[in-house]
Amino acid sequence: QVQVVESGGGLVQPGGSLSLSCEASGSIYHIVAMGWYRQVSGNQRELVAEVTSGGSTTYADSVKGRFTISRDYIPNRVYLQMSSPKPEDTAVYYCKVYVYSDPQTPNEVWGQGTQVTVSS
C-alpha cells in the first residue's frame, strides 16, 4: 500500500506566504505524478498544481504566478509554495499521487487533507 501524508496548512494573512508539503511512502514502483487539489465545502475538488515524474508542471489559472509546485525524489515529496495568497484560496488542500505499486497496477492515492485559511 501507498501512504500519502500532507503537512503545513494553517492560517495565513493575505499577501503572506505558506508552504505545504506531502510525502508518499510504502509500496512504490513508479510515481507518474504528484499534485495538489483543493476543495471548498459544497464545491467540487479542483486541481491547483501538478508535477509529473519528468518535471512538467500544470497550474490552475487562478494560482499561476503566485503558487509554485516542486518535488523531491528521495524521499518522494511534493511541495506547494503559496505566495500572495488571497481569501479565495481558503480551502482544504489535498495531495494526490498517481502511482504504480507494481508494473501493471496504477492507482490514485489521496492524503487526508490540510486546511488553509487566508484571512487578516
Side-chain angles (χ1 to χ4, degrees):
Q1 287 189 342
V2 176
Q3 295 80 42
V4 175
V5 179
E6 306 107 334
S7 61
L11 175 65
V12 59
Q13 292 188 343
S17 65
L18 187 70
S19 182
L20 306 181
S21 64
C22 165
E23 181 168 334
S25 61
S27 182
I28 296 173
Y29 173 75
H30 174 63
I31 291 179
V32 177
M34 301 181 78
W36 290 96
Y37 290 70
R38 66 187 181 189
Q39 187 172 26
V40 176
S41 180
N43 291 354
Q44 285 190 331
R45 197 170 294 186
E46 63 176 10
L47 172 71
V48 177
E50 183 179 79
V51 57
T52 69
S53 60
S56 297
T57 56
T58 301
Y59 291 93
D61 288 343
S62 59
V63 306
K64 282 181 181 177
R66 299 188 299 119
F67 291 7
T68 303
I69 191 169
S70 60
R71 189 183 159 183
D72 285 337
Y73 291 85
I74 301 174
N76 288 300
R77 289 181 180 162
V78 64
Y79 307 94
L80 185 69
Q81 179 64 41
M82 306 171 63
S83 299
S84 301
K86 304 175 182 179
E88 51 263 42
D89 294 320
T90 295
V92 178
Y93 283 70
Y94 296 90
C95 178
K96 188 187 84 171
V97 179
Y98 185 40
V99 58
Y100 280 79
S101 295
D102 59 60
Q104 286 83 36
T105 310
N107 198 10
E108 290 184 345
V109 183
W110 292 87
Q112 79 283 0
T114 184
Q115 176 70 45
V116 172
T117 302
V118 184
S119 175
S120 56

